[in-house]
Amino acid sequence: MRNAVGREIPDQLLTGGREVFQGNAYRENAQYTKAGPTVRASVMPRESKVVASIREAILQCGLRDGMTISFHHHFRDGDYIANMVMKEVADLGIRDITIAASSMGAAHDPIAEYIEQGIVTGLQTSGIRGKIGEAVSTGKLKTPAILRTHGGRVRAVECGEVHIDVAFIGAPTSDEYGNASGKGGKSDCGVLSYADVDARHADKVVIITDTLVPFPNQPCSISCVNVDYVVVVDEIGNPAKIASAAARITDNPRDLKIAEKCAGIMKATPYFKDGFSFQTGVGGPSIAVTLFLKKYMQEKGIRMGWIVGGISTPMVDLLKEGYVKYLADTQDFDTGAIASLGVTPGHFEVTCSEYANPMNKGAYVNKLDFVVLAALEIDVHFNVNVITGSDGILRGAPGGHPDTANGAKCTIIVAPLVRGRIPTVCDSVVTVTTPGESVDILVTEYGAAVNPRRRDLMEALDAAGVPHVTIEELRDKAYSMVGVPDPVRFGDRVVAILEARDGTLLDVVREIKPYSFDE
Amino acid sequence: MRNAVGREIPDQLLTGGREVFQGNAYRENAQYTKAGPTVRASVMPRESKVVASIREAILQCGLRDGMTISFHHHFRDGDYIANMVMKEVADLGIRDITIAASSMGAAHDPIAEYIEQGIVTGLQTSGIRGKIGEAVSTGKLKTPAILRTHGGRVRAVECGEVHIDVAFIGAPTSDEYGNASGKGGKSDCGVLSYADVDARHADKVVIITDTLVPFPNQPCSISCVNVDYVVVVDEIGNPAKIASAAARITDNPRDLKIAEKCAGIMKATPYFKDGFSFQTGVGGPSIAVTLFLKKYMQEKGIRMGWIVGGISTPMVDLLKEGYVKYLADTQDFDTGAIASLGVTPGHFEVTCSEYANPMNKGAYVNKLDFVVLAALEIDVHFNVNVITGSDGILRGAPGGHPDTANGAKCTIIVAPLVRGRIPTVCDSVVTVTTPGESVDILVTEYGAAVNPRRRDLMEALDAAGVPHVTIEELRDKAYSMVGVPDPVRFGDRVVAILEARDGTLLDVVREIKPYSFDE
């Protein structure tokens, strides 16, 4: 069945109440009953939940073939937890495991092997990269991977679509009762926002830490009331790689040009007023936007109200200098952000549900004025792809992209018009991860285009004398520079499902077709 | 059927899986699936949840005959919320409402009238006093009131035994999205610990505040993700009565004598060591115990690890002076405690589930070393009554008494041997609210008695040269002073059910028999 972004969704995927994507507002006000975990009562006095090893915790949890386990991605490329747990799972001869992680990255290449061996047969995640991405794209995973937005993951767990049997939560510090924090240890990651839903909804919850602290570990992100076992290991991660994101401001002239254009456009909209809210990622032009925004805020004598999402040092600097009042932190990208959390007044943790869950009673993204986001590709319908590379292989993450794009009053995509020989603006993206309905403006170094749905924004830019073109003109320019790309050649088999944030099916990714000379 | 504390529970109450009390450990490790609320999705951008009035919120929530609504008791005797809401409910002609409050007190006398009118036909609470207590004791409530411990209430909601249709949560501050806090307004109450389970488990959640603050209201106790509507009213409570508890240390010589004895006994136990944990109430000898403990801590060169529960200024002073490391706050008894919360390092809020829920994965009470508690009556089996007066009328609250008594390694009851013409120590308490199994030591001004179950504590006291007697000796002494009391005369009808913290039936309270001259 064809969905609202024009993608053909195979009927055999539409089982168990699954529907195709029918537009952002389709499930607005939908009623549902939240799922609850099955737990055991701890009525009597008890001093400690510490068990001797990860293996012991796995055994005590009763983990067995066919179950679903979860991990969070706050340790980013420095994560040791998932690999340590999966090694014990494999050694115990447990098979047919579904991993439901908040995201997976370069640190998890060893898990590709478990996919090949049938130890891991299901994968639900936001990020999918490296060897895992290759394994899935080449059809090694027994079932289609399910790729979700950050908000969509919380929704899926709370609605009961994903039932986590055992959550393994790495934590820089924990006390013996499982009050766990992202700070205070030797491998600090700052917040534990993505693990919140796992702690509240998994049947069994295991905290894995390398720094046991006295009870009560306060302030904590994960409460003891949801924790079954605590395991102390030598190292939960590589601190150097936990805070590894390139948070410095770009010195690439092209990126700076895009950033300046973006800030100029933001300034021309009616949302650029005192107390406005803002989100952006790191890398490329994103962080540089804040630099230009600061100048415009100074000129107009206004300040930001709040920033939400992943936090990096330049945002902390804005907070310290008084250019923003609050940082609502869901992920820490560098040591400056980790150190600031809970220390700089106004810098606080929010859970991933508070951040972006589309089906709670109102998340922060619903109140966002601006979000500035990247794209691997964007098509003439403003649909964005951030998951598949130009070769069709899975190497990205929807993350909070579709959540914030839906929520923000002004969603801006910043991207270079071409990357090497690949056009960023095209007729049709390989995979739709964010529907064009959510995207308002594209800014490239060759000009900006406003979504025709947003006449109001076009008029605002016109009134401010900010030039803009049609997205088709940008596509034509890109094609004129690097040519029209050959379509990626896929096989038939669906290897991954892209869920929209509300759980409907936005797109599918098919197996990469082996290269063949005779065609 | 006779239960484990020897009380006869009428068979007609044992429906729907209800069982009689079978000892504290009966439900240890019991497995259950947590209930979830039925909610509506808020997918799309939206600026505010503010509605015009309490009436408007009631209408939007779809409140109707037969539903269950809830309130918290952090405003104590200064609460305006419950009466304001109930007036609108009554004016709208809605009937047959069950109120499931965390506690009710003197502020709620007007609700007795709604009970007589059949507008309120069910009552679930911890505290029951004043005109409501009289109305229930004289048989005016259509169904038996259900009286729970603080921890037991969280358990009942999480297990699905109580389903809250609409929670009305008074909050000193809130933003327009419902991020709500106990601080920052004109009627501050400090923590909102008891409202946490209501916010997470009610289908509809209404925040009522008199101080609307800019989004995001951080730090907050109630998250916007659980809030449907926000109502702004002129006044949510009377600040003078919110922080009304007599938190000063007693100067009554009898109370001081009991307090000194109690501290001396604590000092003689093996639990009196560096890092020990402690809870006590306010009023009577309770707070004075800390004064003597401070002296003994100085002598021994040790410090407390943490205090949990209701917090008052003398505890804040201990924290500031370094005699305790953490205050885990579930309720603020005075302005000093309210001002300190989140300001004094180590003074933090815990939810009522974290505090005392017997069926989560491990609450703070499970790790308590000492709790010092009061009693209206205590019998020779160490069963305690804190709910019915000597006239049999409901005028108390189990509160956290049975929770902490169960959890603590050393549970001490402090009470005067007699009050006026009423003996405190007796053959059989009017109503069992805390099973004798949970109580280790009774301290009166005439001597202390150790529960025979605790040979180890008797030996510790003997080794320290601390005198103790049998509880029967204390009873005999009490009876010799004021005589053996006449039994309270009850009718047949059950007007209130005392649930043990695990949900089993501990006791029932029957209708007061009208006084009659011809007997």
Side-chain angles (χ1 to χ4, degrees):
Chain A
M1 185 187 278
R2 213 173 168 78
N3 71 13
V5 290
R7 298 290 153 137
E8 198 60 48
I9 306 298
D11 287 344
Q12 66 266 31
L13 294 177
L14 302 175
T15 56
R18 265 187 182 150
E19 298 181 86
V20 300
F21 178 66
Q22 290 169 65
N24 285 343
Y26 178 58
R27 286 196 170 161
E28 175 72 3
N29 215 26
Q31 182 175 296
Y32 66 101
T33 299
K34 283 193 190 172
T38 297
V39 298
R40 285 187 182 277
S42 186
V43 183
M44 298 300 287
R46 184 163 62 125
E47 275 307 298
S48 175
K49 301 176 183 175
V50 175
V51 295
S53 63
I54 291 175
R55 190 187 188 95
E56 181 66 21
I58 291 171
L59 292 171
Q60 294 268 353
C61 287
L63 186 70
R64 57 176 192 271
D65 293 4
M67 280 187 164
T68 297
I69 66 177
S70 79
F71 304 105
H72 69 73
H73 70 289
H74 287 288
F75 299 128
R76 303 173 55 78
D77 288 346
D79 179 48
Y80 291 170
I81 299 288
N83 294 343
M84 283 195 293
V85 169
M86 285 311 303
K87 182 176 184 311
E88 295 297 335
V89 167
D91 287 353
L92 284 164
I94 300 169
R95 296 177 63 80
D96 197 17
I97 289 293
T98 292
I99 293 177
S102 60
S103 197
M104 307 208 79
H108 305 122
D109 276 353
I111 288 171
E113 189 67 25
Y114 300 129
I115 290 174
E116 302 222 15
Q117 294 167 5
I119 293 165
V120 174
T121 54
L123 184 61
Q124 310 191 0
T125 178
S126 187
I128 182 165
R129 303 175 174 94
K131 290 193 177 171
I132 295 180
E134 286 167 28
V136 172
S137 280
T138 53
K140 303 281 180 15
L141 186 70
K142 194 175 164 193
T143 60
I146 301 176
L147 307 180
R148 294 196 177 93
T149 74
H150 287 329
R153 178 176 191 264
V154 182
R155 178 204 58 73
V157 175
E158 290 195 345
C159 292
E161 288 172 25
V162 184
H163 179 80
I164 301 168
D165 294 296
V166 188
F168 295 93
I169 301 178
T173 57
S174 175
D175 61 36
E176 74 266 28
Y177 240 44
N179 292 302
S181 166
K183 291 191 72 168
K186 53 191 179 184
S187 310
D188 284 0
C189 63
V191 297
L192 291 172
S193 308
Y194 292 106
D196 167 74
V197 71
D198 305 62
R200 288 185 294 106
H201 285 270
D203 289 349
K204 299 286 184 189
V205 174
V206 179
I207 298 291
I208 302 175
T209 188
D210 54 18
T211 307
L212 196 69
V213 298
F215 178 94
N217 185 24
Q218 285 285 353
C220 62
S221 301
I222 305 292
S223 168
C224 63
V225 303
N226 294 316
V227 175
D228 294 275
Y229 303 105
V230 177
V231 181
V232 185
V233 297
D234 289 341
E235 291 180 306
I236 56 172
N238 179 343
K241 291 188 178 173
I242 289 173
S244 63
R248 66 181 177 75
I249 291 169
T250 181
D251 54 9
N252 175 320
R254 185 190 65 185
D255 286 348
L256 284 172
K257 189 174 175 187
I258 296 172
E260 186 169 17
K261 273 181 194 283
C262 176
I265 284 170
M266 289 172 65
K267 181 187 156 197
T269 69
Y271 312 119
F272 190 72
K273 60 185 180 199
D274 196 51
F276 77 90
S277 54
F278 178 64
Q279 177 170 352
T280 188
V282 288
S286 301
I287 286 285
V289 172
T290 60
L291 216 154
F292 293 102
L293 276 182
K294 187 169 148 182
K295 194 180 76 179
Y296 295 137
M297 286 194 283
Q298 285 168 336
E299 284 174 18
K300 202 173 174 183
I302 64 170
R303 298 289 181 265
M304 277 188 216
W306 46 279
I307 288 176
V308 68
I311 302 299
S312 54
T313 300
M315 297 172 182
V316 173
D317 292 341
L318 283 184
L319 178 67
K320 287 179 178 170
E321 295 162 8
Y323 286 98
V324 61
K325 205 169 167 191
Y326 293 109
L327 301 182
D329 189 340
T330 63
Q331 189 173 180
D332 291 293
F333 286 125
D334 59 31
T335 48
I338 291 170
S340 164
L341 173 74
V343 175
T344 313
H347 184 178
F348 57 86
E349 177 171 357
V350 290
T351 67
C352 186
S353 183
E354 290 175 315
Y355 167 40
N357 177 0
M359 288 180 69
N360 64 25
K361 293 175 178 176
Y364 276 55
V365 297
N366 294 13
K367 284 178 67 68
L368 256 180
D369 290 313
F370 297 102
V371 64
V372 175
L373 297 165
L376 292 170
E377 296 180 293
I378 179 168
D379 68 24
V380 292
H381 308 289
F382 286 84
N383 295 316
V384 174
N385 170 24
V386 290
I387 193 83
T388 41
S390 57
D391 53 4
I393 291 180
L394 291 158
R395 53 166 53 98
H401 197 293
D403 298 310
T404 54
N406 185 176
K409 294 179 192 66
C410 184
T411 297
I412 304 176
I413 303 292
V414 287
L417 195 64
V418 299
R419 288 186 177 92
R421 298 299 302 164
I422 311 294
T424 304
V425 189
C426 60
D427 281 320
S428 178
V429 291
V430 174
T431 312
V432 180
T433 51
T434 299
E437 172 189 354
S438 302
V439 176
D440 300 311
I441 303 175
L442 165 66
V443 182
T444 74
E445 72 278 34
Y446 287 93
V450 180
N451 192 325
R453 304 167 67 100
R454 295 302 302 270
R455 287 271 151 217
D456 58 327
L457 287 177
M458 286 186 188
E459 287 161 14
L461 297 198
D462 291 342
V466 176
H468 55 99
V469 296
T470 67
I471 199 164
E472 288 80 4
E473 288 175 82
L474 292 176
R475 172 206 55 195
D476 293 345
K477 176 75 185 168
Y479 284 1
S480 76
M481 291 164 73
V482 295
V484 179
D486 292 332
V488 183
R489 289 149 43 83
F490 288 106
D492 286 334
R493 183 174 165 205
V494 172
V495 295
I497 293 167
L498 259 296
E499 272 190 11
R501 60 194 300 251
D502 67 2
T504 57
L505 299 198
L506 194 59
D507 208 343
V508 297
V509 178
R510 293 175 192 270
E511 190 174 9
I512 287 296
K513 205 166 180 178
Y515 187 81
S516 153
F517 281 102
D518 59 3
E519 294 189 23
Chain B
M1 185 187 277
R2 210 173 170 78
N3 71 12
V5 289
R7 298 288 154 139
E8 198 61 47
I9 306 297
D11 286 346
Q12 66 265 33
L13 295 177
L14 302 175
T15 57
R18 264 188 183 148
E19 298 181 85
V20 300
F21 178 65
Q22 288 167 67
N24 284 343
Y26 178 58
R27 285 195 171 162
E28 175 72 3
N29 215 27
Q31 183 175 296
Y32 67 100
T33 299
K34 282 192 191 173
T38 297
V39 297
R40 285 187 181 277
S42 185
V43 183
M44 299 300 285
R46 183 164 62 125
E47 275 307 298
S48 176
K49 302 176 184 174
V50 175
V51 295
S53 63
I54 291 175
R55 191 188 188 93
E56 181 66 21
I58 290 172
L59 293 170
Q60 295 268 354
C61 287
L63 186 69
R64 58 177 191 273
D65 293 4
M67 280 188 164
T68 296
I69 66 178
S70 79
F71 304 106
H72 69 72
H73 70 289
H74 287 289
F75 299 128
R76 304 172 55 77
D77 288 347
D79 179 48
Y80 291 171
I81 299 288
N83 294 344
M84 285 194 294
V85 170
M86 285 312 304
K87 182 176 185 310
E88 295 296 335
V89 167
D91 287 354
L92 284 164
I94 301 169
R95 296 178 62 80
D96 196 17
I97 289 294
T98 291
I99 293 178
S102 60
S103 198
M104 306 208 81
H108 305 120
D109 276 353
I111 288 172
E113 189 68 24
Y114 301 128
I115 290 174
E116 301 222 15
Q117 294 167 5
I119 294 166
V120 173
T121 53
L123 183 62
Q124 309 191 1
T125 179
S126 188
I128 182 164
R129 303 175 175 96
K131 289 194 177 173
I132 296 180
E134 284 168 29
V136 173
S137 279
T138 53
K140 303 281 179 17
L141 186 71
K142 193 174 165 195
T143 61
I146 301 176
L147 307 180
R148 295 196 176 92
T149 74
H150 287 330
R153 178 175 190 263
V154 182
R155 177 205 59 72
V157 175
E158 291 195 346
C159 292
E161 288 172 26
V162 184
H163 179 79
I164 301 169
D165 294 296
V166 187
F168 295 94
I169 300 178
T173 58
S174 175
D175 61 36
E176 74 266 29
Y177 240 43
N179 291 301
S181 165
K183 290 191 71 169
K186 53 189 178 185
S187 311
D188 284 1
C189 64
V191 296
L192 291 173
S193 307
Y194 291 107
D196 167 73
V197 72
D198 304 63
R200 289 187 292 108
H201 284 270
D203 289 350
K204 299 286 185 190
V205 175
V206 179
I207 297 291
I208 303 174
T209 188
D210 54 18
T211 308
L212 197 70
V213 297
F215 178 93
N217 185 24
Q218 284 284 354
C220 63
S221 301
I222 305 293
S223 168
C224 63
V225 303
N226 294 317
V227 175
D228 294 275
Y229 304 106
V230 177
V231 181
V232 185
V233 297
D234 290 339
E235 291 181 307
I236 55 172
N238 179 344
K241 290 188 179 173
I242 290 173
S244 63
R248 66 180 177 77
I249 290 170
T250 181
D251 54 8
N252 174 320
R254 185 190 66 184
D255 286 348
L256 284 172
K257 188 174 175 187
I258 295 172
E260 185 169 18
K261 272 181 196 282
C262 176
I265 284 170
M266 290 171 66
K267 181 188 157 196
T269 71
Y271 312 118
F272 190 73
K273 60 186 180 197
D274 196 52
F276 76 92
S277 54
F278 177 64
Q279 176 170 354
T280 190
V282 287
S286 300
I287 286 285
V289 171
T290 61
L291 216 156
F292 294 102
L293 277 181
K294 188 169 149 182
K295 193 180 78 177
Y296 294 138
M297 286 193 283
Q298 286 169 334
E299 284 175 17
K300 202 173 174 181
I302 64 170
R303 299 289 180 264
M304 275 187 217
W306 47 279
I307 287 175
V308 68
I311 302 299
S312 55
T313 300
M315 296 171 182
V316 173
D317 291 341
L318 282 183
L319 178 67
K320 288 179 176 168
E321 295 163 6
Y323 286 98
V324 61
K325 204 168 168 192
Y326 293 110
L327 301 183
D329 189 340
T330 63
Q331 188 172 181
D332 291 293
F333 286 124
D334 59 31
T335 49
I338 291 170
S340 164
L341 173 74
V343 174
T344 313
H347 184 178
F348 58 86
E349 177 171 355
V350 290
T351 66
C352 187
S353 183
E354 291 175 314
Y355 167 40
N357 176 358
M359 287 180 69
N360 64 24
K361 293 175 178 177
Y364 276 54
V365 296
N366 294 12
K367 285 178 65 67
L368 257 180
D369 290 312
F370 296 102
V371 65
V372 174
L373 298 165
L376 292 171
E377 295 180 293
I378 178 167
D379 68 24
V380 291
H381 308 291
F382 286 85
N383 296 316
V384 174
N385 170 24
V386 290
I387 193 82
T388 41
S390 58
D391 53 4
I393 291 182
L394 291 159
R395 54 165 52 99
H401 196 294
D403 298 311
T404 54
N406 184 177
K409 294 179 193 65
C410 184
T411 297
I412 304 176
I413 303 292
V414 287
L417 194 65
V418 298
R419 288 184 177 94
R421 299 299 301 165
I422 311 293
T424 305
V425 190
C426 60
D427 281 320
S428 179
V429 292
V430 174
T431 312
V432 180
T433 52
T434 299
E437 174 188 353
S438 302
V439 176
D440 300 311
I441 303 175
L442 165 67
V443 182
T444 73
E445 73 277 34
Y446 288 93
V450 180
N451 192 324
R453 303 168 68 101
R454 296 303 301 269
R455 287 272 149 215
D456 58 328
L457 287 176
M458 287 187 189
E459 286 162 15
L461 298 198
D462 291 342
V466 176
H468 55 100
V469 297
T470 66
I471 197 163
E472 288 79 4
E473 288 174 82
L474 292 176
R475 173 206 54 196
D476 294 343
K477 176 76 185 168
Y479 284 1
S480 75
M481 290 164 72
V482 295
V484 179
D486 290 334
V488 183
R489 291 149 42 84
F490 289 106
D492 285 335
R493 185 174 165 206
V494 171
V495 295
I497 293 167
L498 259 296
E499 272 190 11
R501 58 194 302 250
D502 67 1
T504 57
L505 300 199
L506 194 58
D507 208 343
V508 296
V509 178
R510 293 175 191 269
E511 190 174 8
I512 286 296
K513 206 166 180 180
Y515 188 80
S516 154
F517 279 103
D518 59 2
E519 293 186 23

